[in-house]
Amino acid sequence: MKTSKVFSITAVALSSILALTACSTATPETSPAPTSSTSSKAAPSKPADAANYTVSSDLSKAPEITVSKDAGNVDKLLVVPIVEGSGATVQATDTITVQYTGIGAISGKEFDSSWTRGQVATFPLNGVIPGWTEGLTGTKVGGRYLLVIPGDLAYGDYPPTPDIQPGETLIFVVDIISIDTK
């Protein structure tokens, strides 16, 4: 009988230690880190991924984007919050209004920009290239986000303009202005 009590106390103590250990390995929530993904579940990115890109944070102006000569094409989606929004969270099925600038990773040239056209763009997020749908889902209104989109999540081998090379990685800076509430 004495042995069974010792065994029961030991089992309870061991269970408590395991439970405490499991709790202590959880990491506290921190500010968003750059994410890299080839699926809708973004995993933390290596800081070196984001180091190839510099983006201005003044939301009242078109973004100034600098891409290092080492950036080139990528094989994973990179999402970096430049200014974290504090508004509503964007869902993949939302219609959103944005300001954006797009440049080619190889040429470094701007191929599209709502800022240059002088008007915002509104569209259903599930009606654009997969890199936008995946990359902007979970972002928040009021934020500015850098998207580095590999060719297979952009236009692949059939870009809509000669300013984009087949299979080219695209770099977008997107300001989320609002979500259409209709």
Side-chain angles (χ1 to χ4, degrees):
M1 189 143 205
K2 195 174 193 180
T3 303
S4 102
K5 282 185 181 179
V6 171
F7 179 73
S8 294
I9 292 172
T10 304
V12 169
L14 184 57
S15 296
S16 298
I17 290 170
L18 289 174
L20 288 173
T21 302
C23 290
S24 69
T25 60
T27 56
E29 191 164 320
T30 59
S31 61
T35 57
S36 178
S37 172
T38 55
S39 70
S40 60
K41 303 243 182 203
S45 172
K46 296 177 185 171
D49 292 343
N52 287 322
Y53 312 94
T54 305
V55 178
S56 61
S57 60
D58 184 348
L59 298 174
S60 68
K61 298 178 183 175
E64 295 176 19
I65 307 164
T66 305
V67 180
S68 81
K69 63 182 178 178
D70 299 326
N73 281 335
V74 299
D75 60 357
K76 294 180 182 177
L77 175 64
L78 177 68
V79 180
V80 181
I82 303 303
V83 174
E84 184 66 48
S86 59
T89 301
V90 174
Q91 304 300 314
T93 56
D94 286 339
T95 295
I96 60 175
T97 299
V98 300
Q99 285 273 37
Y100 69 92
T101 297
I103 62 176
I106 295 173
S107 69
K109 294 181 183 177
E110 181 181 300
F111 61 83
D112 192 13
S113 175
S114 63
W115 290 96
T116 301
R117 285 192 307 277
Q119 66 183 55
V120 298
T122 299
F123 50 80
L125 191 54
N126 60 4
V128 294
I129 61 173
W132 269 56
T133 306
E134 186 175 325
L136 293 177
T137 298
T139 61
K140 294 186 179 219
V141 171
R144 173 171 281 180
Y145 300 90
L146 168 69
L147 302 177
V148 182
I149 304 173
D152 65 330
L153 292 176
Y155 296 108
D157 292 333
Y158 305 100
T161 172
D163 296 332
I164 302 171
Q165 297 179 19
E168 185 172 18
T169 291
L170 303 181
I171 301 163
F172 286 95
V173 175
V174 183
D175 298 351
I176 310 294
I177 297 170
S178 64
I179 297 172
D180 185 358
T181 57
K182 290 181 187 178

